[in-house]
């Protein structure tokens, strides 16, 4: 039994994350997906709540035949304690997948095996770029899984982002 952990903010969960995930699924028996910065929402960089992101990831994962746990993790003020905080919130895991240098360093210092998982097609499969397209009224739907499009439409997410960006400029 090998359990792998994949961490991201997923603002929103897009096809780049999904490609990485499909690759991980082939390497482990169970997967833990951590929704980072869970306390953040209703910000231009973090428009979606932890609950909405849990839904995005869980629905997108329905097509993968694997046992998965989707768990929100709030940030804490001390990086040196973050791995203990993370471990206290998730089932035991043998390997972590990330490309974030800080996260790699913290996990490796704690003796956890880390595998890097670079995103594909970074120009379009990027949370920043997708949020920009939403704000500009451009087509963003082709860059996220179908199920995620439905969730974002259901919560009127694009209008939320537009409203937040107005209040930020005042
Ligand atoms: P992130 O802040 O969500 O992403 C940082 C950048 O890396 C984004 O541009 C993101 O793109 C990109 N990225 C995400 N996955 C990638 C991949 N597989 N390959 C290449 N680029 C990738 O950071 P994260 O690493 O995904 O998530 C780390 C989470 O852990 C964050 O929520 C962070 O706050 C948390 N953390 C907290 C502490 C603490 O509380 N002290 C310490 C360490 C980490 P997209 O926008 O397209 O995803």
């Amino acid at each position: 039994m090998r359990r792998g952990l994949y961490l991201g903010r997923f603002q929103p969960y897009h096809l780049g994350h999904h490609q990485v995930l499909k690759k991980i699924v082939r390497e482990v028996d169970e997967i833990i997906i951590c929704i980072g910065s869970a306390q953040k929402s209703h910000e231009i960089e973090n428009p979606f709540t932890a609950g909405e992101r849990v839904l995005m990831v869980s629905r997108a994962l329905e097509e993968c035949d694997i046992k998965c746990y989707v768990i929100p993790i709030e940030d804490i003020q001390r990086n040196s304690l973050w791995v203990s905080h993370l471990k206290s919130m998730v089932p035991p895991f043998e390997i972590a997948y990330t490309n974030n240098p800080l996260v790699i360093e913290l996990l490796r210092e704690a003796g956890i095996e880390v595998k890097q998982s670079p995103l594909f097609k970074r120009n379009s499969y990027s949370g920043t770029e997708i949020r920009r397209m939403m704000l500009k009224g451009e087509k963003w739907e082709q860059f996220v899984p179908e199920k995620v499009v439905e969730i974002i439409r259901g919560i009127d997410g694009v209008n939320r982002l537009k409203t937040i960006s107005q209040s930020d400029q005042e």
Side-chain angles (χ1 to χ4, degrees):
M1 163 64 72
R2 192 163 159 84
R3 200 175 286 123
L5 180 139
Y6 179 39
L7 170 78
R9 265 173 42 245
F10 306 123
Q11 290 281 9
Y13 183 82
H14 56 65
L15 286 170
H17 301 129
H18 204 49
Q19 297 246 31
V20 170
L21 206 84
K22 282 180 173 170
K23 210 165 146 241
I24 297 171
V25 158
R26 294 198 290 269
E27 298 178 11
V28 296
D29 302 299
E30 293 189 350
I31 185 156
I32 305 162
I33 299 165
C34 289
I35 311 285
S37 304
Q39 80 282 7
K40 294 190 179 172
S41 72
H42 296 78
E43 299 172 356
I44 294 179
E45 302 291 310
N46 299 284
F48 306 112
T49 67
E52 289 160 354
R53 289 176 279 155
V54 165
L55 204 54
M56 289 178 200
V57 174
S58 307
R59 288 274 163 80
L61 264 160
E62 281 168 5
E63 69 182 61
C64 303
D65 187 21
I66 191 164
K67 173 75 188 161
C68 63
Y69 308 85
V70 186
I71 302 176
I73 307 287
E74 293 190 8
D75 293 332
I76 60 166
Q77 291 298 322
R78 282 200 214 182
N79 284 336
S80 60
L81 298 182
W82 179 74
V83 175
S84 301
H85 166 65
L86 174 75
K87 284 170 76 178
S88 75
M89 299 294 291
V90 302
F93 57 95
E94 284 68 44
I95 183 165
Y97 294 84
T98 177
N99 225 36
N100 180 321
L102 169 64
V103 174
I104 292 171
E105 178 63 20
L106 295 176
L107 290 169
R108 288 208 169 129
E109 282 181 16
I112 295 168
E113 184 187 350
V114 180
K115 202 161 166 183
Q116 291 189 237
S117 57
L119 288 173
F120 306 98
K121 292 198 194 166
R122 256 328 245 165
N123 289 342
S124 39
Y125 291 169
S126 147
T128 305
E129 183 58 14
I130 291 167
R131 294 191 301 273
R132 187 199 64 75
M133 289 188 278
M134 288 173 165
L135 275 174
K136 295 281 174 200
E138 295 172 16
K139 285 215 160 296
W140 53 273
E141 292 88 342
Q142 69 267 37
F143 302 119
V144 308
E146 190 77 35
K147 300 264 170 92
V148 174
V149 175
E150 286 167 20
I151 291 161
I152 293 175
R153 286 201 181 127
I155 59 172
D156 205 8
V158 174
N159 276 329
R160 177 192 295 173
L161 195 51
K162 287 179 177 166
T163 306
I164 295 164
S165 78
Q166 285 165 10
S167 60
D168 260 23
Q169 284 160 11
E170 284 163 8

